[in-house]
Structures are given as C-alpha cells and as structure tokens.
Amino acid sequence: METIQLNRWRILIAAVLINICVGSIYAFSIFAMPLSKVLDASMPQIMLAFTINGAISPIPMILGGKLVDRGGARTAIFLGGAMFGLGFILSGMATAPWMLYVTYGVIAGLGQGIVYSATIGNTVKLFPDKRGLAAGIVTAGYGGGTILIAPIASALITNSGVHQAMIMLGSVFLVIILSGGLLTTPCPSGYVPAGYIPQAVGNARAGTPSMNWRQMLRQPIFYVIACLFLIGALSGMMVTSNASVIGQTMFGLSAGVAALYVSLYSLSNCLGRVVWGAVSDRIGQIRCLMMIYLVIAVMMLTLALTSSTLGFAVAIVGIGLCFGGTMGVFPSIVGQKFGMKYYGVNYGVTFIGYSGAAFFGPRIANSVAAANGGMFTNAFYIALVIALVGFGLTFLYRALDSKPQQSTPDTVKAA
C-alpha cells in the first residue's frame, strides 16, 4: 500500500454539506399535511411517497457503490445530485398523489441513494484509521439536514405554499450538491493515511481478504447484520416519517411548534451518528448495538405511556440518538466484516435492511394510527417488541462472529 497525500478532511466537509441536502428527505412530515390538503388526499396516500423513496434505496445505493469502487465518486454525486434536485422540484409541481410517487418517491429517491452511497463509501475508504468516527460524521449531515430544513420548509410553506416551497428548496439543493461534487476527490486505490499502520480492531483480523457481494451473501452473518440493520432503523423510520403528525395529533402541538420538535429529533439523530460511531471504534460495534436496542425499547415504552410534551421530547431525543447510532455503526460493521475493496457495493446490498425499515416502519405506524383514531400508541408497543428481538439477535451475531468466515476461491476477484 502506498501513502498518498490528499486533503481528506476537505472531502469529508463537502460530503457533510451534500448530505445535509439529501437528508431533507427526513423532513417529509413537514410537507405531508400541507400536501394532503392541497392534493385532497389522505395521509396514508401522501406518506406512500416517503415509503417508496426509502424502499427503493438499495437500488441506487448499489449503483452509487459500484461507481465509488471504480473511482467514480464525483460522477455519482453529479448524477445523484441532479436527480435529487430535479425530483424535489418536480414534486412541487405534482397535482395528484401518483405524481408525487414518481417525483419524490422514485426520482428523488434514486438520486438521494446514489449521493448518500457515494459520499459515505468514499469517506469510509479515506478514513481506515477512524472508520466509525468518519462514518458517523458524514452520516450526521444526512441525519441532521432536517435541523435546518424543517424550520425553513415550515416558513416557506406558510409564506408561499407547499408547492413553491419544494421548488425553491429543490433548486438550492441542486446547486449545493453539484458544487460539493466539485470539491470531492475519489479515494485513490491503495490509499493509506500518513502514519497509519493497519491492525486488527476488535474481532476484525488484519489481512482478512475483501469479499465481493456474492461471497458476502454466502456468509450466514450477513443475514444477521441485515436483520439487525432493519430492526435498528425501524423505530427511527416510524418516528421520522410521523414526528410532526404525532406531535400535533397526540400532544396538541401547533404545526410550527411540531416543526421545532422535528428539528430536536433530527439534532439527536445527528449527534447519535457521531457519538455512537466514535464509541464503536473503542468498545466495538456489537456492544453499541446492544445498548441501542435496549434504549429504543425504553423510549418506545415512554412514548406509549406519556401524555406530556416533556415525555414526548425525551422519547424522541432517545429514539433519534439510537436511530443515528444505527446509521453510524453499520457502515463500519460492513467494512470490518467484509473488507474495503468492494465496500461500496457491499454496503449497498446490506442497505436492504434499512430499505425494509423504510418500507415497514411508516406503514406500521400509519396503519395502526388509521385504525385507532390517529393514535400511534399500539405502533410504539410493536416497535418495543421488535427492539427486544434485535437485542436477542446480537447474541447470535456474537456466536457467528467468533467462527471463521467461509472462504472461497474467488475471494479477490472483482464483483
């Protein structure tokens, strides 16, 4: 391996700014109610756009990862950024729910996934010495974008209407993402930071050969990782897509105040990615996940039982921290278990766990609420039980992690 000099921190900052834009996906609950009124559609009909957006994510993640693995991180950002900005702008022109499914769900969803995959894949390759921290920081931009976007979007909707708000925001996103792409340098092949000596970390073994996605799928531990990813992200997706609605319907908040709670949730989400990512570098990812699942269970119980705004705030902060922790920890898990050579594609394939959470989380929450007069309480109990299942799966992960992974003759062949 050769030591190559480049400003990786500048690339990291550009990735954060880009992800702040695509992270506006998490502010959809701000747009949901106004869109429901303008398009004369039910909330489940509107929320389906968000569900589609998240459910298709493995497709662009794999595409973006493939480009990153071939040195095309900048190309991926340009392609995905153009699609995301255009999808957002076209969403502001939608006159029926089905149009929203195409523009916000498919076009913006594909663009967002390509950009996210490119930024995180390239960053993790650039920081083998601080993998958890770097992944946490770059995903923090993605999770924390709503902190800025939610109040801005709320103000724009109040002053100009939801359609005009989406058009203006989409235009700004387009400019920022493409500009960030210009500041991005793809990680060179064989890159090693100055002074860094690769060594075993936790259960990882120095010199473990990288696996392509086909070999990864032959490992039983891959399926446990995907399930853990799904469970860790599920509660976050339930709250992310409905934070504003929950605040207004269950706790009597105004739309403006609810937007502030969405920003509070997003701040927690952002901090959770950095904090848990850094902690995982020190104590190991699986210990982090065990703690995350237990906290999720406690916070879901709190959300189900509380009737105060303080209880609501505490619960969404806890859930936000844990959702962020999930998104910050799994990138390093994939790199540690399956190597970095094919990391972009491998993480894209593993992201099917998040996709499942994006599909089932909002559907569970909205279906339960629709059947119970707008109350989400039973959905919180469902999420609590699922989190405890995730805690149990961490023990299976540990058992599989202690066994040597199955080797194959084509370990070093291209994916």
Side-chain angles (χ1 to χ4, degrees):
M1 294 184 180
E2 58 178 317
T3 299
I4 303 170
Q5 297 297 326
L6 55 80
N7 190 343
R8 57 180 182 161
W9 292 100
R10 183 203 69 192
I11 300 170
L12 175 62
I13 291 171
V16 171
L17 293 175
I18 290 169
N19 279 332
I20 286 175
C21 295
V22 295
S24 61
I25 289 295
Y26 289 136
F28 189 69
S29 62
I30 300 297
F31 301 103
M33 278 193 168
L35 283 171
S36 175
K37 295 175 182 177
V38 171
L39 301 182
D40 192 24
S42 66
M43 283 300 294
Q45 286 179 306
I46 297 298
M47 292 308 302
L48 183 56
F50 181 83
T51 300
I52 293 171
N53 182 289
I56 66 172
S57 56
I59 300 172
M61 287 285 293
I62 293 170
L63 174 58
K66 193 73 172 179
L67 289 171
V68 168
D69 290 343
R70 293 182 175 179
R74 179 179 291 177
T75 299
I77 291 171
F78 287 154
L79 173 63
M83 293 182 69
F84 180 76
L86 181 62
F88 226 90
I89 291 169
L90 292 177
S91 295
M93 302 177 185
T95 57
W98 70 265
M99 296 177 68
L100 206 59
Y101 304 155
V102 174
T103 58
Y104 191 92
V106 177
I107 298 176
L110 289 173
Q112 165 245 327
I114 293 172
V115 169
Y116 180 65
S117 178
T119 53
I120 192 171
N122 195 52
T123 300
V124 169
K125 287 174 179 281
L126 287 168
F127 288 85
D129 52 335
K130 299 179 177 66
R131 191 174 293 159
L133 176 61
I137 292 174
V138 75
T139 59
Y142 187 69
T146 309
I147 300 171
L148 297 175
I149 303 305
I152 293 173
S154 181
L156 288 175
I157 291 170
T158 300
N159 295 327
S160 305
V162 66
H163 278 159
Q164 193 62 33
M166 299 190 83
I167 292 173
M168 288 188 286
L169 286 172
S171 301
V172 172
F173 295 155
L174 187 61
V175 172
I176 294 176
I177 295 173
L178 297 184
S179 298
L182 293 174
L183 298 175
T184 299
T185 301
C187 180
S189 177
Y191 172 74
V192 177
Y196 172 62
I197 300 176
Q199 58 184 343
V201 180
N203 287 328
R205 296 168 178 82
T208 298
S210 292
M211 298 183 187
N212 62 38
W213 67 271
R214 296 182 186 89
Q215 295 154 352
M216 181 178 70
L217 291 179
R218 297 178 193 147
Q219 310 301 320
I221 199 170
F222 163 78
Y223 299 95
V224 177
I225 291 172
C227 288
L228 287 171
F229 202 168
L230 184 153
I231 291 170
L234 186 71
S235 61
M237 292 306 298
M238 290 174 66
V239 174
T240 293
S241 60
N242 292 287
S244 179
V245 179
I246 292 171
Q248 293 179 63
T249 59
M250 294 186 65
F251 296 92
L253 304 178
S254 66
V257 174
L260 295 178
Y261 276 78
V262 172
S263 293
L264 177 62
Y265 171 82
S266 298
L267 176 60
S268 305
N269 184 350
C270 176
L271 293 175
R273 296 173 190 236
V274 178
V275 171
W276 284 113
V279 169
S280 71
D281 284 338
R282 293 185 174 275
I283 70 171
Q285 297 95 342
I286 200 62
R287 288 194 182 99
C288 288
L289 289 179
M290 294 176 75
M291 296 171 67
I292 283 171
Y293 295 134
L294 288 177
V295 174
I296 288 174
V298 172
M299 292 300 102
M300 281 296 174
L301 181 62
T302 300
L303 202 52
L305 297 178
T306 189
S307 59
S308 69
T309 54
L310 176 60
F312 176 54
V314 170
I316 64 171
V317 166
I319 294 169
L321 287 170
C322 291
F323 181 42
T326 296
M327 303 305 293
V329 168
F330 278 94
S332 56
I333 287 180
V334 174
Q336 178 180 312
K337 296 307 301 176
F338 307 115
M340 296 305 300
K341 185 174 182 179
Y342 309 110
Y343 176 84
V345 173
N346 288 348
Y347 186 62
V349 174
T350 309
F351 211 69
I352 193 171
Y354 172 89
S355 178
F359 180 79
F360 290 109
R363 289 174 69 88
I364 291 172
N366 285 288
S367 296
V368 171
N372 292 273
M375 301 297 287
F376 291 83
T377 305
N378 289 339
F380 302 146
Y381 285 121
I382 293 173
L384 186 160
V385 172
I386 293 174
L388 293 178
V389 171
F391 178 76
L393 278 178
T394 60
F395 292 94
L396 177 58
Y397 176 95
R398 273 186 161 176
L400 292 173
D401 193 36
S402 65
K403 298 179 181 179
Q405 298 183 109
Q406 302 170 11
S407 60
T408 55
D410 58 340
T411 298
V412 296
K413 291 182 180 178

